[in-house]
Amino acid sequence: QVRLTESGGGSVQSGGYLRLSCKVSGATYHSNCLGWFRQAPGKEREAVAVIYTGADTTYYGAAAKGRFTISQDGAKTTVYLQMDSLEPDDSAMYYCASGYLGPKQDKLLWQLYTDWGRGTQVTVTV
């Protein structure tokens, strides 16, 4: 099992920024993709950004493109999500997730991820 611990959430004004971190430990050999997903009350869970850890290839959900950046540290033990130009619609619980996905699988499909952190809350105020 891969253990994931998120941090860095909080409350920020519209137009501000936050940097989320996800510490990864445990059976990391079971994983080749790490991603950030979010869910707001009453809404479906959606993909924010994913990184294929072997090659640093990144994938972004529609809401994140151009504003958010996913990255990992050199030791591949921490994944970051830099969020700029935040908007009130970005308010949600943000989860870090881990999975082992094949080359043809949709990396942004949250149902394919097997291990999840507890989440960190992001609130963007007007």
Side-chain angles (χ1 to χ4, degrees), residues 23-89:
K23 282 192 172 284
V24 185
S25 62
T28 56
Y29 50 85
H30 282 172
S31 167
N32 63 1
C33 287
L34 293 169
W36 287 96
F37 301 82
R38 70 185 187 185
Q39 188 166 19
K43 294 189 177 180
E44 294 284 323
R45 185 167 296 192
E46 62 175 344
V48 178
V50 169
I51 187 165
Y52 174 66
T53 56
D56 277 350
T57 307
T58 56
Y59 307 83
Y60 290 94
K65 288 179 181 176
R67 299 187 300 129
F68 297 175
T69 304
I70 189 170
S71 62
Q72 61 179 341
D73 68 346
K76 301 188 193 308
T77 58
T78 305
V79 176
Y80 304 99
L81 183 68
Q82 177 68 38
M83 304 189 295
D84 297 321
S85 302
L86 283 162
E87 303 165 354
D89 283 348

Side-chain angles (χ1 to χ4, degrees), residues 100-108 112:
Y100 192 93
L101 278 68
K104 295 185 179 181
Q105 289 184 299
D106 183 352
K107 306 301 187 287
L108 298 176
L112 298 178

